[in-house]
Amino acid sequence: QKEVEQNSGPLSVPEGAIASLNCTYSDRGSQSFFWYRQYSGKSPELIMSIYSNGDKEDGRFTAQLNKASQYVSLLIRDSQPSDSATYLCAVDNAGNMLTFGGGTRLMVKP
Amino acid sequence: GAGVSQSPSNKVTEKGKDVELRCDPISGHTALYWYRQRLGQGLEFLIYFQGNSAPDKSGLPSDRFSAERTGESVSTLTIQRTQQEDSAVYLCASSLSGTGRAFFGQGTRLTVV
């Protein structure tokens, strides 16, 4: 059973702070890793992808991958109230089925 | 259109009736997923289609649920003899084979009364 685990939260951070979202996965063969954002009442949307160990930055977002520890994280710098949403971690194994974690609810307070 | 299209957007049905939900994936996307999302809950995997391979039906909660896909195009999810616990948003997503970058439709909100 391939599993992707996330703390459900809510994670509450003040506006302007760094939000750190974490995800662990069980399948060592996993090769592709994704972060999706889902606003309340909306569908998930892809915001970041990462394929190799290390950091990948895109604007205020940084995805971090450590395959040895089977750990993926998403950092959001200068958090804004508009970042308040549920963040879903997803893992893909060589083009096989995408497996989602349960999501972490982030609340950014003004 | 350029995105994943689902219909209907909303469906209210009486308990015991059958319903059919439709998903039009992005053209060229060989992978197609169905998920269920109950209010305030996470994504619950239902079924996965990949090209001409046999679908992964491991997430279907009961034999009342079935899904079909015509080639690499439209998919329909059928729920027979609907129950109140079937009330949820049903989400469809598609992706290019091997990329894992899935794009979601707007969902169908199903309410069983």
Side-chain angles (χ1 to χ4, degrees):
Chain A
Q1 179 86 7
K2 300 175 184 176
E3 293 185 349
V4 179
E5 300 288 341
Q6 296 181 255
N7 188 316
S8 61
L11 172 66
S12 182
V13 300
E15 183 174 356
I18 296 175
S20 178
L21 304 161
N22 304 313
C23 170
T24 59
Y25 60 94
S26 63
D27 184 0
R28 284 196 170 274
S30 300
Q31 298 185 2
S32 306
F33 307 86
F34 307 90
W35 284 98
Y36 288 76
R37 177 177 62 198
Q38 186 176 25
Y39 290 115
S40 181
K42 302 294 185 182
S43 297
E45 58 176 331
L46 179 65
I47 56 172
M48 288 287 289
S49 58
I50 188 166
Y51 305 97
S52 54
N53 281 329
D55 295 359
K56 179 181 177 182
E57 187 174 318
D58 183 0
R60 295 186 296 111
F61 297 94
T62 299
Q64 299 176 317
L65 174 61
N66 184 326
K67 289 186 178 181
S69 300
Q70 296 175 245
Y71 181 90
V72 192
S73 64
L74 179 70
L75 301 178
I76 306 174
R77 289 181 300 282
D78 187 24
S79 296
Q80 301 297 309
S82 59
D83 295 325
S84 298
T86 296
Y87 289 80
L88 301 163
C89 174
V91 174
D92 184 296
N93 179 357
N96 292 326
M97 190 179 72
L98 198 60
T99 301
F100 283 87
T104 298
R105 184 176 161 217
L106 173 66
M107 298 171 59
V108 181
K109 297 189 173 181
Chain B
V4 178
S5 178
Q6 292 187 245
S7 61
S9 298
N10 284 283
K11 176 73 176 178
V12 179
T13 189
E14 292 181 351
K15 179 181 173 180
K17 299 283 190 183
D18 297 352
V19 296
E20 192 171 276
L21 312 180
R22 177 186 169 106
C23 173
D24 278 284
I26 293 172
S27 178
H29 280 193
T30 56
L32 187 147
Y33 305 81
W34 282 99
Y35 294 93
R36 178 169 70 180
Q37 190 169 38
R38 292 192 169 108
L39 188 63
Q41 303 298 310
L43 295 177
E44 179 184 1
F45 165 73
L46 295 177
I47 189 168
Y48 166 64
F49 295 92
Q50 172 59 279
N52 294 320
S53 301
D56 182 338
K57 303 180 181 180
S58 61
L60 294 178
S62 77
D63 59 8
R64 296 187 297 106
F65 288 73
S66 62
E68 293 183 348
R69 187 179 185 193
T70 307
E72 295 182 353
S73 61
V74 171
S75 176
T76 55
L77 176 68
T78 301
I79 308 173
Q80 296 178 312
R81 305 180 302 281
T82 52
Q83 304 294 314
Q84 287 187 327
E85 62 262 28
D86 299 334
S87 296
V89 174
Y90 289 81
L91 289 163
C92 174
S94 71
S95 70
L96 283 170
S97 176
T99 68
R101 299 170 65 90
F103 295 85
F104 283 80
Q106 82 280 14
T108 294
R109 182 175 299 278
L110 175 66
T111 303
V112 182
V113 298

Short mmCIF file of all heavy atoms in Angstrom, two decimals, chain B residues 2-35:
data_model
loop_
_atom_site.label_atom_id
_atom_site.label_comp_id
_atom_site.label_asym_id
_atom_site.label_seq_id
_atom_site.Cartn_x
_atom_site.Cartn_y
_atom_site.Cartn_z
N ALA B 2 -9.88 24.06 -23.02
CA ALA B 2 -8.51 23.70 -22.72
C ALA B 2 -8.39 22.88 -21.45
O ALA B 2 -7.36 22.25 -21.23
CB ALA B 2 -7.68 24.96 -22.59
N GLY B 3 -9.41 22.90 -20.60
CA GLY B 3 -9.29 22.24 -19.31
C GLY B 3 -10.11 20.98 -19.24
O GLY B 3 -10.73 20.53 -20.21
N VAL B 4 -10.11 20.36 -18.05
CA VAL B 4 -10.94 19.19 -17.79
C VAL B 4 -12.36 19.67 -17.51
O VAL B 4 -12.56 20.58 -16.71
CB VAL B 4 -10.41 18.41 -16.57
CG1 VAL B 4 -11.30 17.21 -16.27
CG2 VAL B 4 -8.97 17.96 -16.81
N SER B 5 -13.31 19.07 -18.19
CA SER B 5 -14.70 19.50 -18.07
C SER B 5 -15.53 18.38 -17.45
O SER B 5 -15.46 17.23 -17.89
CB SER B 5 -15.25 19.86 -19.45
OG SER B 5 -16.61 20.24 -19.35
N GLN B 6 -16.31 18.72 -16.44
CA GLN B 6 -17.17 17.75 -15.80
C GLN B 6 -18.62 18.21 -15.89
O GLN B 6 -18.91 19.42 -15.82
CB GLN B 6 -16.80 17.57 -14.32
CG GLN B 6 -15.47 16.91 -14.10
CD GLN B 6 -15.22 16.59 -12.64
OE1 GLN B 6 -14.32 17.14 -12.03
NE2 GLN B 6 -16.03 15.70 -12.08
N SER B 7 -19.51 17.24 -16.04
CA SER B 7 -20.93 17.57 -16.05
C SER B 7 -21.73 16.45 -15.40
O SER B 7 -21.31 15.29 -15.44
CB SER B 7 -21.40 17.79 -17.50
OG SER B 7 -21.20 16.62 -18.27
N PRO B 8 -22.85 16.81 -14.76
CA PRO B 8 -23.28 18.17 -14.48
C PRO B 8 -22.44 18.81 -13.36
O PRO B 8 -21.70 18.10 -12.70
CB PRO B 8 -24.73 17.98 -14.02
CG PRO B 8 -24.71 16.64 -13.35
CD PRO B 8 -23.75 15.80 -14.15
N SER B 9 -22.59 20.09 -13.14
CA SER B 9 -21.89 20.74 -12.03
C SER B 9 -22.52 20.36 -10.71
O SER B 9 -21.83 20.22 -9.69
CB SER B 9 -21.94 22.26 -12.19
OG SER B 9 -21.29 22.65 -13.36
N ASN B 10 -23.83 20.26 -10.73
CA ASN B 10 -24.58 19.88 -9.53
C ASN B 10 -25.63 18.85 -9.92
O ASN B 10 -26.20 18.93 -11.01
CB ASN B 10 -25.29 21.10 -8.93
CG ASN B 10 -24.33 22.00 -8.18
OD1 ASN B 10 -23.93 21.71 -7.07
ND2 ASN B 10 -23.96 23.09 -8.82
N LYS B 11 -25.87 17.91 -9.00
CA LYS B 11 -26.88 16.90 -9.25
C LYS B 11 -27.55 16.56 -7.92
O LYS B 11 -26.87 16.21 -6.95
CB LYS B 11 -26.23 15.64 -9.84
CG LYS B 11 -27.18 14.48 -10.05
CD LYS B 11 -28.12 14.72 -11.20
CE LYS B 11 -29.01 13.50 -11.44
NZ LYS B 11 -29.98 13.76 -12.56
N VAL B 12 -28.85 16.73 -7.90
CA VAL B 12 -29.62 16.32 -6.74
C VAL B 12 -30.45 15.12 -7.17
O VAL B 12 -31.15 15.17 -8.19
CB VAL B 12 -30.54 17.44 -6.23
CG1 VAL B 12 -31.34 16.96 -5.03
CG2 VAL B 12 -29.73 18.68 -5.86
N THR B 13 -30.38 14.04 -6.43
CA THR B 13 -31.09 12.84 -6.80
C THR B 13 -31.74 12.22 -5.57
O THR B 13 -31.32 12.44 -4.43
CB THR B 13 -30.14 11.83 -7.47
OG1 THR B 13 -30.89 10.75 -8.02
CG2 THR B 13 -29.16 11.25 -6.46
N GLU B 14 -32.75 11.43 -5.83
CA GLU B 14 -33.43 10.75 -4.73
C GLU B 14 -32.69 9.46 -4.39
O GLU B 14 -32.17 8.77 -5.29
CB GLU B 14 -34.87 10.45 -5.11
CG GLU B 14 -35.74 11.69 -5.25
CD GLU B 14 -37.17 11.33 -5.59
OE1 GLU B 14 -37.44 10.14 -5.88
OE2 GLU B 14 -38.02 12.24 -5.57
N LYS B 15 -32.70 9.14 -3.14
CA LYS B 15 -32.10 7.88 -2.68
C LYS B 15 -32.67 6.72 -3.49
O LYS B 15 -33.88 6.64 -3.72
CB LYS B 15 -32.41 7.69 -1.19
CG LYS B 15 -31.88 6.43 -0.58
CD LYS B 15 -32.26 6.35 0.88
CE LYS B 15 -31.89 4.99 1.47
NZ LYS B 15 -32.25 4.89 2.89
N GLY B 16 -31.76 5.84 -3.93
CA GLY B 16 -32.18 4.68 -4.69
C GLY B 16 -32.09 4.85 -6.20
O GLY B 16 -32.12 3.85 -6.94
N LYS B 17 -31.97 6.09 -6.67
CA LYS B 17 -31.85 6.34 -8.11
C LYS B 17 -30.40 6.13 -8.56
O LYS B 17 -29.47 6.20 -7.77
CB LYS B 17 -32.28 7.77 -8.44
CG LYS B 17 -33.70 8.09 -8.08
CD LYS B 17 -34.67 7.51 -9.07
CE LYS B 17 -36.07 8.06 -8.82
NZ LYS B 17 -37.07 7.45 -9.74
N ASP B 18 -30.24 5.90 -9.85
CA ASP B 18 -28.90 5.80 -10.45
C ASP B 18 -28.49 7.17 -10.98
O ASP B 18 -29.34 7.94 -11.45
CB ASP B 18 -28.89 4.80 -11.61
CG ASP B 18 -29.23 3.39 -11.18
OD1 ASP B 18 -29.33 3.13 -9.96
OD2 ASP B 18 -29.40 2.53 -12.07
N VAL B 19 -27.19 7.47 -10.91
CA VAL B 19 -26.68 8.71 -11.48
C VAL B 19 -25.45 8.42 -12.33
O VAL B 19 -24.73 7.46 -12.09
CB VAL B 19 -26.32 9.77 -10.41
CG1 VAL B 19 -27.54 10.22 -9.65
CG2 VAL B 19 -25.25 9.25 -9.47
N GLU B 20 -25.25 9.29 -13.31
CA GLU B 20 -24.10 9.15 -14.20
C GLU B 20 -23.40 10.49 -14.27
O GLU B 20 -24.01 11.52 -14.58
CB GLU B 20 -24.56 8.73 -15.59
CG GLU B 20 -23.46 8.29 -16.52
CD GLU B 20 -24.00 7.68 -17.78
OE1 GLU B 20 -24.32 6.48 -17.80
OE2 GLU B 20 -24.10 8.44 -18.78
N LEU B 21 -22.11 10.48 -13.98
CA LEU B 21 -21.30 11.69 -13.99
C LEU B 21 -20.31 11.59 -15.14
O LEU B 21 -19.74 10.52 -15.39
CB LEU B 21 -20.55 11.85 -12.66
CG LEU B 21 -21.40 11.66 -11.38
CD1 LEU B 21 -20.52 11.84 -10.15
CD2 LEU B 21 -22.57 12.59 -11.36
N ARG B 22 -20.07 12.72 -15.78
CA ARG B 22 -19.24 12.70 -16.99
C ARG B 22 -17.99 13.54 -16.81
O ARG B 22 -18.02 14.58 -16.14
CB ARG B 22 -20.06 13.24 -18.16
CG ARG B 22 -19.31 13.36 -19.48
CD ARG B 22 -20.17 14.04 -20.53
NE ARG B 22 -19.40 14.39 -21.71
CZ ARG B 22 -19.48 13.73 -22.87
NH1 ARG B 22 -20.30 12.71 -23.00
NH2 ARG B 22 -18.75 14.12 -23.90
N CYS B 23 -16.91 13.07 -17.43
CA CYS B 23 -15.65 13.81 -17.40
C CYS B 23 -15.04 13.83 -18.80
O CYS B 23 -14.84 12.77 -19.41
CB CYS B 23 -14.67 13.16 -16.43
SG CYS B 23 -13.00 13.87 -16.48
N ASP B 24 -14.73 15.03 -19.29
CA ASP B 24 -14.00 15.21 -20.55
C ASP B 24 -12.58 15.65 -20.21
O ASP B 24 -12.39 16.79 -19.77
CB ASP B 24 -14.66 16.27 -21.42
CG ASP B 24 -15.82 15.73 -22.20
OD1 ASP B 24 -15.56 15.05 -23.20
OD2 ASP B 24 -16.97 15.99 -21.81
N PRO B 25 -11.60 14.79 -20.39
CA PRO B 25 -10.23 15.18 -20.01
C PRO B 25 -9.61 16.13 -21.02
O PRO B 25 -10.19 16.37 -22.09
CB PRO B 25 -9.50 13.83 -20.02
CG PRO B 25 -10.21 13.05 -21.09
CD PRO B 25 -11.65 13.46 -20.98
N ILE B 26 -8.46 16.65 -20.70
CA ILE B 26 -7.70 17.47 -21.63
C ILE B 26 -7.25 16.56 -22.79
O ILE B 26 -6.80 15.43 -22.56
CB ILE B 26 -6.49 18.11 -20.94
CG1 ILE B 26 -6.98 19.13 -19.89
CG2 ILE B 26 -5.56 18.78 -21.94
CD1 ILE B 26 -5.89 19.68 -19.00
N SER B 27 -7.39 17.08 -24.00
CA SER B 27 -7.04 16.30 -25.17
C SER B 27 -5.59 15.82 -25.11
O SER B 27 -4.67 16.61 -24.81
CB SER B 27 -7.23 17.15 -26.43
OG SER B 27 -6.86 16.42 -27.59
N GLY B 28 -5.40 14.53 -25.35
CA GLY B 28 -4.05 13.97 -25.33
C GLY B 28 -3.62 13.40 -23.99
O GLY B 28 -2.60 12.71 -23.90
N HIS B 29 -4.39 13.68 -22.97
CA HIS B 29 -4.06 13.14 -21.64
C HIS B 29 -4.51 11.68 -21.57
O HIS B 29 -5.70 11.38 -21.67
CB HIS B 29 -4.74 13.96 -20.54
CG HIS B 29 -4.01 15.22 -20.23
ND1 HIS B 29 -4.29 15.97 -19.10
CD2 HIS B 29 -3.01 15.86 -20.87
CE1 HIS B 29 -3.48 17.01 -19.08
NE2 HIS B 29 -2.70 16.98 -20.15
N THR B 30 -3.55 10.79 -21.36
CA THR B 30 -3.88 9.37 -21.34
C THR B 30 -4.32 8.89 -19.97
O THR B 30 -4.97 7.87 -19.84
CB THR B 30 -2.66 8.55 -21.79
OG1 THR B 30 -1.55 8.86 -20.93
CG2 THR B 30 -2.29 8.85 -23.23
N ALA B 31 -3.93 9.59 -18.93
CA ALA B 31 -4.28 9.19 -17.57
C ALA B 31 -5.50 9.96 -17.09
O ALA B 31 -5.60 11.17 -17.32
CB ALA B 31 -3.10 9.40 -16.62
N LEU B 32 -6.41 9.26 -16.44
CA LEU B 32 -7.63 9.90 -15.93
C LEU B 32 -7.96 9.30 -14.57
O LEU B 32 -7.90 8.08 -14.38
CB LEU B 32 -8.79 9.69 -16.91
CG LEU B 32 -10.10 10.44 -16.61
CD1 LEU B 32 -10.80 10.82 -17.91
CD2 LEU B 32 -11.01 9.64 -15.71
N TYR B 33 -8.27 10.19 -13.64
CA TYR B 33 -8.57 9.79 -12.26
C TYR B 33 -9.96 10.27 -11.86
O TYR B 33 -10.40 11.35 -12.27
CB TYR B 33 -7.60 10.45 -11.27
CG TYR B 33 -6.13 10.24 -11.51
CD1 TYR B 33 -5.44 10.99 -12.45
CD2 TYR B 33 -5.41 9.31 -10.76
CE1 TYR B 33 -4.08 10.82 -12.65
CE2 TYR B 33 -4.04 9.14 -10.95
CZ TYR B 33 -3.39 9.90 -11.90
OH TYR B 33 -2.04 9.73 -12.09
N TRP B 34 -10.62 9.48 -11.02
CA TRP B 34 -11.82 9.93 -10.34
C TRP B 34 -11.54 9.91 -8.84
O TRP B 34 -10.98 8.94 -8.31
CB TRP B 34 -13.01 9.01 -10.62
CG TRP B 34 -13.67 9.22 -11.94
CD1 TRP B 34 -13.49 8.50 -13.08
CD2 TRP B 34 -14.66 10.21 -12.27
NE1 TRP B 34 -14.29 8.97 -14.09
CE2 TRP B 34 -15.03 10.01 -13.61
CE3 TRP B 34 -15.29 11.22 -11.53
CZ2 TRP B 34 -15.98 10.80 -14.26
CZ3 TRP B 34 -16.23 12.00 -12.17
CH2 TRP B 34 -16.57 11.80 -13.51
N TYR B 35 -11.98 10.99 -8.16
CA TYR B 35 -11.86 11.10 -6.71
C TYR B 35 -13.21 11.52 -6.14
O TYR B 35 -14.00 12.18 -6.81
CB TYR B 35 -10.83 12.16 -6.31
CG TYR B 35 -9.41 11.84 -6.70
CD1 TYR B 35 -8.89 12.29 -7.90
CD2 TYR B 35 -8.59 11.09 -5.87
CE1 TYR B 35 -7.60 12.01 -8.27
CE2 TYR B 35 -7.29 10.79 -6.22
CZ TYR B 35 -6.80 11.25 -7.43
OH TYR B 35 -5.51 10.96 -7.79
#
